[in-house]
Structures are given as C-alpha cells and as structure tokens.
Amino acid sequence: MGGTKNVSVAQVKTLHPDLIIANKEENEAEAIRTLAEEFPVWVSDIKTLQDALDMIQYLGELCGKSENAAALLQQISRVFRNIPHASRACEPLILYGTTP
C-alpha cells in the first residue's frame, strides 16, 4: 500500500476499510483527506507515553476491544514500572579527557 509518506490511495480504496488509522506526523495530509471522503479515519498525534496509552484505550473502545486494550495497557504499565528511575538513567555522560 506504499509507505507512510506515499500511501497508495487507490490500493487502500480497493480494501474498503472499516477504519483507517493514520498519524499526523507520518502520513501525507492530502492522502488522508482523500481517504476520509469515503472511509472513517482516525488520526493520532502521539507526543508522550500518556498520548500513546490514551490512543490504545480509545482505539480499543472504538473497535469493540476494550478488554484487549486494557490487558495491553496493564502489560505496558508493568514494563514501564520496571525501567530504572529517570534520574539514574539520565546522569550526564562524562567523556575521557573532559571535565564536567
């Protein structure tokens, strides 16, 4: 169907999709506008982890898969709780021969 920057509108139309999920930063606005004339389109604008989590929950509800979305959200939350605290992970990098 092309790529994120060069979606083949004609090929997508042949699929008669129930829902098209696009991304504001990745997909060409004109192609998405053209597809939106015939099909339901949901456009994400993900900038933060919370945006991504909200998207998963919303799309789960939209697609009648709330339970699946909730399970995925729990799994993601569990993984992120196990990531080392940001203050330790973001300590300054000191290169040899330099002074802080």
Side-chain angles (χ1 to χ4, degrees):
M1 300 295 140
T4 57
K5 300 293 185 193
N6 60 347
V7 172
S8 172
V9 172
Q11 284 185 320
V12 172
K13 286 183 176 187
T14 65
L15 297 173
H16 304 285
D18 295 323
L19 175 64
I20 296 170
I21 300 170
N23 179 269
K24 180 181 175 185
E25 295 298 320
E26 290 297 319
N27 300 116
E28 295 280 329
E30 186 57 37
I32 298 307
R33 277 193 287 273
T34 300
L35 290 166
E37 292 172 3
E38 296 182 45
F39 308 102
V41 174
W42 187 83
V43 180
S44 67
D45 187 16
I46 307 299
K47 294 186 175 103
T48 66
L49 173 60
Q50 189 59 53
D51 291 343
L53 298 174
D54 291 344
M55 179 193 76
I56 292 167
Q57 180 178 354
Y58 180 77
L59 288 175
E61 293 168 6
L62 185 65
C63 296
K65 298 290 184 179
S66 296
E67 289 180 21
N68 299 72
L72 180 58
L73 290 169
Q74 286 178 352
Q75 183 180 7
I76 291 168
S77 295
R78 203 171 24 256
V79 169
F80 271 83
R81 276 194 303 272
N82 291 325
I83 293 175
H85 191 273
S87 65
R88 286 182 288 168
C90 297
E91 290 177 2
L93 175 64
I94 299 174
L95 299 175
Y96 291 104
T98 64
T99 55

